[in-house]
Amino acid sequence: MVEQPSKTGTLYVVATPIGNLDDISERAVRTLSEVDVVVVEDTRISRKLMDRCGIRPRTVAYHEHNESRRAPELVARLIRGDNLALISDAGTPLISDAGYRLVRLAQERGIAVVAVPGPCAAIAALSVAGLPTDRFAFEGFLPARAAPRQRRLQALAADDRTLIFYESVHRIVATLRDMVAIFGEDREAAIARELTKKFESTKRGALEDVLHWLEREPRRQKGEFVVLVRGSPEVEHDLREAERVLTILLRTLPLKPAVALAAEITGGGKNRLYRLALRIQGA
Ligand code: SAM
């Protein structure tokens, strides 16, 4: 039976499959069948999962459009003693999905919030991409409009962690093109497409090759995607930082003191910085 730590109910945050319904865990099924209400994103999608599990729980719709109104109502139910399970259409709730407001509000009211972990597209993609996994940054969806998307990518260009993005079918090619332009055609990347589904495929290579792979076959541009980009090599990062510092200093200082100061600030070698300064001045 679902554990009841006090008179108030418990909010279970339950992960569900990202494609293959066999990926639902036993604990998830048990939790969904035992709680008083399952809070779902889309009732039609959750119905499919519930049918597959052979359960018919009471459901309440909760998504980004009714989040602020629904969260206090749901917390009131928890306070009255109901146990609730939160699921999204696929994967782990709150990961590029609604739920943050509900979890925060529940915790603020002293409600126990318990994870029932399981599938998450970002982590599944990372586990098969073949890119470094020791440090990574989840970036979710990039802005839909080109200018803010490019600004965001610029801001990430020097990050040395593996970057993980979600992308929709409408923008996958445009986003890859922006990545080639901003991160460079040689930066290693991977696409994980339709994970756990019939046409699952993963492609790793230089960003330009990954883009060509996608462009060559229009059917590859359909479905759900996770895009992963290897972090910026440290040398490149150091060089970019040195260039930034030198460019600022050279606005007001002559070459020699600018190089000396830049060496102090960045810890870089004077000779290398001197050559870089000459290049900046030449440009
Ligand atoms: N909460 C979900 C999770 O834990 O992964 C993510 C929800 S977000 C609204 C949906 C996005 O996740 C899709 O646009 C896609 O980028 C990614 N995604 C979900 N399922 C996927 C799959 N089977 N293969 C690849 N990407 C997937």
Side-chain angles (χ1 to χ4, degrees):
M1 186 55 206
V2 170
E3 215 176 289
Q4 190 91 0
S6 66
K7 272 211 202 103
T8 57
T10 297
L11 173 61
Y12 295 88
V13 180
V14 182
T16 58
I18 55 169
N20 188 331
L21 295 185
D22 286 349
D23 290 337
I24 188 93
S25 73
E26 274 181 37
R27 186 169 168 233
V29 176
R30 202 175 57 242
T31 305
L32 295 178
S33 64
E34 287 179 353
V35 292
D36 299 292
V37 177
V38 179
V39 180
V40 307
E41 190 179 349
D42 182 323
T43 44
R44 283 160 308 179
I45 293 177
S46 65
R47 173 66 65 89
K48 255 171 108 179
L49 178 71
M50 306 303 176
D51 285 350
R52 171 70 169 59
C53 301
I55 55 176
R56 204 31 90 82
R58 281 182 66 186
T59 58
V60 172
Y62 177 82
H63 39 71
E64 54 177 341
H65 306 294
N66 69 6
E67 222 183 337
S68 49
R69 178 164 54 82
R70 269 286 152 82
E73 293 169 14
L74 294 170
V75 170
R77 290 187 88 130
L78 286 157
I79 291 169
R80 286 202 301 271
D82 280 354
N83 290 313
L84 265 55
L86 170 69
I87 63 170
S88 63
D89 285 349
T92 302
L94 280 82
I95 307 302
S96 292
D97 269 330
Y100 170 72
R101 203 184 284 263
L102 177 59
V103 166
R104 285 284 292 208
L105 198 60
Q107 286 168 338
E108 278 162 20
R109 301 291 147 82
I111 305 289
V113 179
V114 172
V116 181
C120 174
I123 298 300
L126 186 67
S127 72
V128 294
L131 293 174
T133 57
D134 46 349
R135 292 170 63 239
F136 59 88
F138 175 63
E139 282 292 319
F141 287 98
L142 285 161
R145 288 190 307 119
R149 180 171 64 234
Q150 288 157 6
R151 275 200 299 277
R152 175 123 284 273
L153 290 173
Q154 290 282 6
L156 293 167
D159 200 312
D160 59 359
R161 296 168 296 179
T162 296
L163 303 171
I164 307 176
F165 303 90
Y166 283 163
E167 194 44 281
S168 89
V169 65
H170 311 291
R171 285 181 288 276
I172 185 71
V173 171
T175 291
L176 260 289
R177 286 188 183 143
D178 284 346
M179 286 176 171
V180 168
I182 292 163
F183 296 151
E185 57 193 29
D186 295 330
R187 178 84 76 94
E188 202 180 19
I191 281 192
R193 180 178 159 262
E194 294 286 89
L195 287 162
T196 77
K197 301 187 211 175
K198 191 172 174 193
F199 296 108
E200 169 170 0
S201 50
T202 306
K203 167 75 183 167
R204 173 165 54 81
L207 258 174
E208 195 175 47
D209 296 338
V210 173
L211 172 61
H212 288 161
W213 176 82
L214 207 62
E215 284 177 326
R216 231 179 357 255
E217 291 272 357
R219 71 187 160 81
R220 289 185 187 144
Q221 295 162 28
K222 300 210 170 75
E224 295 191 283
F225 303 91
V226 182
V227 181
L228 305 97
V229 181
R230 194 183 183 117
S232 169
E234 228 162 273
V235 194
E236 205 180 293
H237 170 247
D238 288 353
L239 199 71
R240 252 201 293 269
E241 180 59 8
E243 191 167 346
R244 191 182 72 81
V245 170
L246 266 175
T247 307
I248 295 168
L249 294 174
L250 285 168
R251 278 189 209 136
T252 49
L253 290 176
L255 195 92
K256 260 181 119 175
V259 168
L261 256 182
E264 213 176 311
I265 294 167
T266 65
K270 274 196 187 149
N271 288 342
R272 204 183 64 146
L273 289 168
Y274 191 78
R275 283 196 300 276
L276 186 60
L278 286 177
R279 224 183 55 219
I280 293 169
Q281 280 192 329

